[in-house]
Amino acid sequence: MQLTSGWIDEQALRLDTQLSYYIVPISSHELNALVKQFGFSVFPSSDAVTAWLSSPYHFKMGEDALVLHPTDIVNNGITWALWLNAMLMCIAVGAWLLYAKRGNRRADRRRAASFSGGQKLIDKELSTDVQHVTTDKQVTVFAMFKWRCELPKHIEPQSHFSVTLAKCFNKYKYCSAKYLSSGTLTVTLSDVCKDEVEQTIKRLHEVVYQALLAFRGDLSRSALKCGACFYGEGADQTQVYQIARSSLSIAQNHVWQHIHMLPLNHTLAESLLDAETHIMQDIRAGRFVLFCQPLFDFKSQDVIQSEALLRVRHKTLGLITAGQFIHKIHHNQHLVELDKAIVMQALKVLSKEPKGFSVSVNLHVVNWSNSVFLNWLIGVLRDSGRASDVTLELMISDYYQHKSYFEQFFCSLAPLGTNVVLDHVNKPLDVVQLQQLHNVIGIKLAFELIHGINGCAKRRAVVKQIVGQAKKLQIPVYAVGVETQDEFNCIQRLGVDGAQGYFFSAPLLELENSLN
């Protein structure tokens, strides 16, 4: 249509130029003959298709106006040209489709061949994986060591143990030793045969012992404890560390057991993911024990309190700490069951101890806001007859947020003699909110504030400020997680009143329940 219109415009311009040469008016017969020379006709085409393809041209000559149409010859030529172009286009499209179809067939054949080869490769890999699970016995060992002695000042622990272990375990693909600021030595050995794991860890224990014995001749093997975990490729390193740390705690709590080892296998990893159901089953069945972490007072040089720490005897994971599973418990009712079990076991321990033995229990924050649980707690403490020997621990941030609520509850505890400790203090105190405290007998500094405090001036300044504020409020300050001599010396200089941590004592197993 655009082609036809363009041609009409061009020919009309030429016709208009030709007519301008006539001085006298031209007759209709001469005009008809003239317009035919330029491809026009005064009559429209009889063919509907060609009439649709071409549009009339309005030609003005003086005061007269003519409607001109392309002649049949022009219209037929244009029609044939359009049909020819359409035919050529159809042939091109057909050729393209045929080529594409052949290309798809070749691609299908290639994919089929690739799938066949890929399937063979997958089958080979699957068979290799199965063989790896059943016959590949190479694992990685991660071990943590802790000892009850101080290293000489001239010894650089990192270099000393790295060189010693590299010489003794050079047959392994990878041997790494790291001495942490907490005084813990960690060792990683890769490509250890599963059948040799137990002997390898025993040899590790002996090598570290001999390295310590070189400058501490009076050291006994029982003073060196080892917790280890062995695992396969792709294991979660966080879980590996947690298991090794838990194993070390177990070894430290036994006089005769110096090495404790746990594997991180598929069963254990899956059990950690599905911990809530299994843990609650163990709690209900009584498969748990309490460990007591002593709190030492610097002034009296004696234990003034013991914090109750839960350890669950899991059927597949062994003895695990609350820190390993508490974040996986999401149902409030399960948290209530958990804290009830801890409180009842703590009261059972108290019933067998003389007056003056005090136990602190750290309740979950959800249960602090559960009025039903708190009413139950008050009733149980009253009936036990040892309520004055129980101390409840509460995070100080929760106290700030719900001060009036907790003050009301503290008042209901006052007649029983039950005290409260504000826990997890990691910044200066809000003195205004703490001016009228009821039966709060102390505050505990957070682990992250104390760990490595000897090397951080900023944290030392925070602790010094907290100690000054607490003295004005007449509340003692205790540190949590003290693990080294340097940390101990530092908090003493800052005026802290007492502390708990592995530097003083590992959590002590509650013997009576552990034998059941």
Side-chain angles (χ1 to χ4, degrees):
M1 294 292 290
Q2 292 179 352
L3 178 64
T4 305
S5 299
W7 178 86
I8 291 175
D9 292 339
E10 182 181 354
Q11 295 303 317
L13 181 61
R14 292 176 60 191
L15 175 62
D16 185 57
T17 303
Q18 183 68 31
L19 290 173
S20 65
Y21 295 149
Y22 288 87
I23 300 174
V24 297
I26 185 171
S27 66
S28 60
H29 178 73
E30 290 178 354
L31 179 61
N32 190 30
L34 183 62
V35 298
K36 282 185 178 181
Q37 294 178 9
F38 291 91
F40 288 99
S41 172
V42 295
F43 304 104
S45 175
S46 59
D47 188 1
V49 176
T50 56
W52 178 77
L53 288 173
S54 62
S55 58
Y57 184 82
H58 299 275
F59 186 81
K60 188 171 182 63
M61 185 178 63
E63 296 181 355
D64 297 326
L66 294 176
V67 179
L68 301 181
H69 303 273
T71 61
D72 290 341
I73 296 176
V74 174
N75 281 330
N76 290 337
I78 294 174
T79 303
W80 279 106
L82 292 175
W83 281 112
L84 180 61
N85 288 333
M87 187 177 299
L88 291 175
M89 184 174 291
C90 290
I91 293 173
V93 171
W96 180 80
L97 291 175
L98 180 62
Y99 177 79
K101 186 175 181 180
R102 289 180 178 178
N104 289 337
R105 288 178 179 175
R106 288 194 297 269
D108 289 340
R109 287 195 294 268
R110 286 196 299 270
R111 282 195 295 268
S114 176
F115 177 77
S116 177
Q119 187 63 40
K120 292 179 181 178
L121 180 61
I122 291 173
D123 293 340
K124 181 179 179 181
E125 289 179 351
L126 287 175
S127 63
T128 303
D129 287 344
V130 173
Q131 183 179 3
H132 175 78
V133 172
T134 54
T135 63
D136 189 5
K137 297 183 178 181
Q138 303 297 318
V139 296
T140 301
V141 174
F142 178 75
M144 302 180 73
F145 293 88
K146 194 83 173 179
W147 50 83
R148 295 195 304 270
C149 69
E150 187 177 355
L151 298 177
K153 298 296 183 182
H154 67 278
I155 294 294
E156 206 287 305
Q158 180 64 53
S159 301
H160 179 72
F161 290 109
S162 294
V163 172
T164 302
L165 292 168
K167 289 180 180 178
C168 297
F169 297 93
N170 55 6
K171 74 171 186 176
Y172 296 106
K173 181 179 178 180
Y174 178 78
C175 177
S176 171
K178 292 183 179 180
Y179 184 77
L180 307 180
S181 59
S182 62
T184 303
L185 175 68
T186 65
V187 181
T188 304
L189 295 176
S190 65
D191 289 356
V192 180
C193 181
K194 281 185 180 179
D195 298 335
E196 300 177 357
V197 167
E198 185 175 356
Q199 292 301 321
T200 302
I201 294 178
K202 287 182 179 180
R203 185 165 175 247
L204 263 175
H205 185 273
E206 183 63 25
V207 169
V208 174
Y209 170 69
Q210 293 296 334
L212 292 169
L213 195 65
F215 48 81
R216 187 66 182 265
D218 60 341
L219 184 70
S220 64
R221 284 181 173 82
S222 61
L224 175 64
K225 300 295 185 176
C226 172
C229 173
F230 62 92
Y231 55 95
E233 185 178 357
D236 186 339
Q237 294 302 307
T238 302
Q239 292 182 354
V240 170
Y241 182 86
Q242 289 177 344
I243 293 171
R245 191 72 179 85
S246 178
S247 298
L248 178 61
S249 298
I250 294 171
Q252 289 178 314
N253 290 316
H254 284 272
V255 177
W256 61 88
Q257 182 182 0
H258 312 323
I259 301 171
H260 191 83
M261 174 179 58
L262 286 173
L264 177 59
N265 50 27
H266 177 74
T267 302
L268 189 145
E270 289 297 321
S271 297
L272 285 175
L273 294 176
D274 191 28
E276 182 168 11
T277 301
H278 296 156
I279 291 297
M280 294 315 302
Q281 291 175 353
D282 293 327
I283 293 295
R284 295 183 188 115
R287 292 190 291 267
F288 66 90
V289 295
L290 287 185
F291 281 72
C292 295
Q293 178 76 69
L295 175 63
F296 288 86
D297 181 73
F298 296 157
K299 186 176 181 180
S300 65
Q301 295 291 306
D302 197 5
V303 177
I304 58 174
Q305 195 178 85
S306 293
E307 182 178 354
L309 303 175
L310 180 69
R311 300 289 186 270
V312 176
R313 295 186 180 278
H314 196 276
K315 59 182 178 181
T316 56
L317 307 183
L319 197 64
I320 59 176
T321 65
Q324 291 180 260
F325 64 81
I326 194 66
H327 60 284
K328 297 182 181 296
I329 298 182
H330 307 292
H331 293 83
N332 291 352
Q333 186 56 39
H334 289 170
L335 293 172
V336 170
E337 290 185 57
L338 187 63
D339 276 358
K340 282 185 176 181
I342 296 174
V343 169
M344 293 303 295
Q345 189 61 35
L347 292 176
K348 183 178 179 181
V349 173
L350 280 175
S351 66
K352 302 180 184 304
E353 296 291 339
K355 286 284 186 178
F357 181 83
S358 178
V359 174
S360 67
V361 179
N362 200 328
L363 301 178
H364 196 278
V365 63
V366 171
N367 294 331
W368 275 106
S369 58
N370 188 332
S371 58
V372 176
F373 172 81
L374 295 179
N375 289 331
W376 171 88
L377 178 62
I378 292 174
V380 168
L381 291 175
R382 183 186 300 111
D383 297 339
S384 68
R386 299 294 297 269
S388 59
D389 293 326
V390 176
T391 300
L392 302 179
E393 297 194 10
L394 169 68
M395 289 183 63
I396 196 168
S397 58
D398 295 326
Y399 174 81
Y400 288 152
Q401 189 173 1
H402 308 286
K403 180 178 182 296
S404 58
Y405 169 80
F406 285 117
E407 282 296 321
Q408 183 179 0
F409 178 65
F410 292 169
C411 289
S412 62
L413 290 176
L416 302 176
T418 302
N419 297 311
V420 177
V421 169
L422 298 179
D423 192 14
H424 205 78
V425 178
N426 55 11
K427 58 184 179 181
L429 303 175
D430 187 340
V431 179
V432 176
Q433 294 200 56
L434 298 177
Q435 283 180 345
Q436 294 180 347
L437 287 172
H438 299 282
N439 53 311
V440 173
I441 62 170
I443 62 173
K444 285 187 176 181
L445 302 175
F447 173 80
E448 59 266 24
L449 192 61
I450 298 301
H451 183 64
I453 189 174
N454 51 292
C456 182
K458 184 177 180 180
R459 280 187 277 161
R460 290 198 298 271
V462 173
V463 171
K464 186 175 182 180
Q465 184 177 356
I466 293 173
V467 170
Q469 292 173 328
K471 285 183 177 179
K472 293 180 180 179
L473 296 171
Q474 298 182 347
I475 304 174
V477 178
Y478 305 111
V480 173
V482 179
E483 296 183 342
T484 66
Q485 180 72 46
D486 291 336
E487 292 173 355
F488 170 66
N489 294 337
C490 183
I491 62 174
Q492 271 199 317
R493 290 194 301 268
L494 293 173
V496 175
D497 298 289
Q500 64 185 58
Y502 281 88
F503 177 77
F504 304 99
S505 172
L508 303 176
L509 178 64
E510 185 255 305
L511 183 62
E512 187 271 337
N513 192 54
S514 67
L515 298 177
N516 290 339

